[in-house]
Amino acid sequence: MAPQRFREQFGHIQRSMPDVPLAMGPDDSAEFLYEKGVVLVRDGEDAALVEDAVRTYFTETPDLDPEPVRRVSPRANRTGVTRIQVGDPGQGGAEGDPMVGHALRAVRERAGRARRRLVSRNHVIHIAPVNACPGDEPVPAPRADGTNPAPAPGVAHDPDTAVGVLVIDTGLLHDYQSWPQLAHVDGDMAVQETDADGMLKQYVGHGTFIAGVVSAVAPNTNVTVLGTLSDVGAMLESDFGAALFDSVDRHGWPDIISLSAGTTNGGLDGLLGMDAFMAELRQQRTLLVAAAGNNGSSTPFWPAAYASQSAFADSVLSVGALRGDGAYGACFTNHGPWVRVFAPGERLTSSLTGFTTPVPYVYQHSTYDTCRYGFGYACTCQEPSHSGVLSDDGAAAKPDQVMFEGLAHWSGTSFATPVVAGMVADLMVSGGQRDPRAAAQQLLSQVSEFAEVRGADVPALKPSTWSPVPVQAPAASV
């Protein structure tokens, strides 16, 4: 059965991308979202082969129409991929697209076995999902308590020696610089912070929160936050590769890219839409620190899972999340040998919004009576309890509303990722190391702590200024 929150978030994303018909798939497991009526291929010979294979298969198969099969993207673009229409995207519902399935089958049967994937769905890349969203929604935190991780003491920001960190996310809130830790952060501003009712929009503070985590762990950083994923934190794979190229074209290749987004894709060989960017990344000195995702699954989540491929072992670092006490994995974290390291990612405290003016927020998802992954501690699945707009549980109660006045608690591998990015940057500064990839390998080689994640002992990175949050038994149901 597909996770409830995935279905709730599907409708939210679809309403925010009205010109892109979407389906969830590959079946009722609902592992990912993708564009209906379209497959993604590399341009050139691969595109010609796939187009011919699909048209022939559709011509010879009863009840299939070859007429729509055609390329619908420019034949030359920076990412080296193009879209091929294989059906009417307006047909059918959200429970998978049969025409896309037929097209994938046609290539398997008619193109034979290839050394690399020839065709794929055009997946939706979105903020390190727990079924298309972070580990939970933010909770207001007292400003007087400060952030967790706290700012590293005695470390000043020096723009001439600072490590460059590029955060590809949702952009910055208008008053972010009113929090001292973010005084030297720059980048894109959020396109729209509040809705027509003045309520803070979902995910709008995601990039600001991440910038606060990086700046706390590594104050001597030049952090640039881009609004690449400002549209509900989601973007088609075919556009994402181009957006990554645009990011480095605008700002240059940084020391570190912190990326808290991705998708599963049912495969073990990466994302076609990122092929060209990943090939370019290998030729640079930049380290990509990527979130492992929050599906509570061992299924590879891309681009984080590139870290398990030998070609990217030194250029990609995948990060899972530890629960509040740091002893075990958070209930939601993805896991498996493709996740290189784990870091605190549950109930971190960072800057969100509203330092100058308090901003209201209405919860979108309801919490659960028990952990949806079967864990027995008071995880973010259930505490603090609230009712959300998108959840249809038959309850008559109004969705809960809170007020943000600066800081928030938030959970997800989205936030464990900037912890690790900050630790790499801090080591570069303290050790005089100018190579971020060498610094990452040095950091991993010095790991002295381990945590238990799904029965396995995994390397755990914990910044010295992070304070464990006591883990309790869940509150009794009323």
Side-chain angles (χ1 to χ4, degrees), residues 128-129 261-264 267-268 290-309 312-313 316-321 332-342 413 458-459:
T263 183
T264 59
L268 301 175
N294 308 319
N295 296 318
S297 170
S298 61
T299 301
F301 181 82
W302 307 94
Y306 281 106
S308 65
Q309 298 184 357
F312 299 102
V316 181
L317 184 54
S318 50
V319 184
F332 52 77
T333 189
N334 284 347
H335 51 91
W338 55 274
V339 184
R340 296 282 303 280
V341 72
F342 288 75
T413 59
V458 300

Side-chain angles (χ1 to χ4, degrees), residues 123-465:
H123 303 89
V124 175
I125 306 292
H126 38 87
I127 291 172
V130 55
N131 315 321
C133 52
D136 65 352
E137 292 175 86
V139 177
R143 192 183 307 192
D145 290 351
T147 62
N148 186 21
V155 180
H157 176 250
D158 175 7
D160 295 328
T161 61
V163 174
V165 179
L166 188 64
V167 176
I168 297 176
D169 212 88
T170 62
L172 294 160
L173 278 297
H174 74 281
D175 55 356
Y176 75 95
Q177 287 187 322
S178 61
W179 186 248
Q181 285 176 216
L182 300 181
H184 59 276
V185 171
D186 63 11
D188 300 335
M189 305 307 295
V191 176
Q192 186 178 5
E193 297 181 13
T194 57
D195 63 18
D197 297 322
M199 297 290 175
L200 190 68
K201 297 184 70 174
Q202 193 175 18
Y203 307 147
V204 74
H206 197 260
T208 305
F209 192 99
I210 286 172
V213 174
V214 174
S215 298
V217 176
N220 196 18
T221 46
N222 291 327
V223 180
T224 302
V225 180
L226 301 187
T228 307
L229 293 163
S230 287
D231 191 359
V232 203
M235 175 179 286
L236 285 174
E237 177 183 338
S238 56
D239 298 325
F240 189 59
L244 293 175
F245 274 122
D246 179 67
S247 298
V248 296
D249 285 348
R250 288 170 56 196
H251 299 279
W253 286 89
D255 295 306
I256 298 169
I257 294 175
S258 181
L259 178 62
S260 294
T263 183
T264 59
N265 69 346
L268 301 175
D269 50 0
L271 300 172
L272 289 183
M274 286 191 66
D275 266 2
F277 180 81
M278 295 304 295
E280 180 68 19
L281 174 70
R282 287 182 60 191
Q283 306 306 314
Q284 304 295 328
R285 58 186 292 276
T286 298
L287 174 71
L288 173 62
V289 185
N294 308 319
N295 296 318
S297 170
S298 61
T299 301
F301 181 82
W302 307 94
Y306 281 106
S308 65
Q309 298 184 357
S310 58
F312 299 102
D314 65 337
S315 55
V316 181
L317 184 54
S318 50
V319 184
L322 300 174
R323 74 181 193 181
D325 62 0
Y328 296 88
C331 69
F332 52 77
T333 189
N334 284 347
H335 51 91
W338 55 274
V339 184
R340 296 282 303 280
V341 72
F342 288 75
E346 189 174 65
R347 296 190 174 100
L348 297 185
T349 309
S350 183
S351 48
L352 186 72
T353 185
F355 289 107
T356 55
T357 305
V359 182
Y361 177 75
V362 173
Y363 282 105
Q364 301 298 300
H365 303 282
S366 297
T367 47
Y368 297 77
D369 292 336
T370 59
C371 175
R372 60 192 183 278
Y373 301 105
F375 283 67
Y377 73 100
C379 65
T380 58
C381 295
Q382 52 193 317
E383 293 191 13
S385 176
H386 52 252
S387 297
V389 173
L390 301 177
S391 299
D392 182 15
D393 56 6
K398 290 177 58 179
D400 289 319
Q401 179 178 320
V402 292
M403 190 72 70
F404 284 104
E405 300 183 271
L407 299 182
H409 302 305
W410 213 344
S411 303
T413 59
S414 280
F415 314 119
T417 297
V419 168
V420 172
M423 292 184 72
V424 173
D426 185 61
L427 181 61
M428 291 177 66
V429 172
S430 63
Q433 174 63 264
R434 299 313 303 169
D435 183 345
R437 299 180 181 182
Q441 295 306 314
Q442 181 180 344
L443 190 65
L444 293 177
S445 70
Q446 295 174 350
V447 169
S448 60
E449 291 191 62
F450 291 81
E452 184 178 328
V453 178
R454 305 283 178 149
D457 288 333
V458 300
L461 290 175
K462 304 171 186 177
S464 60
T465 60

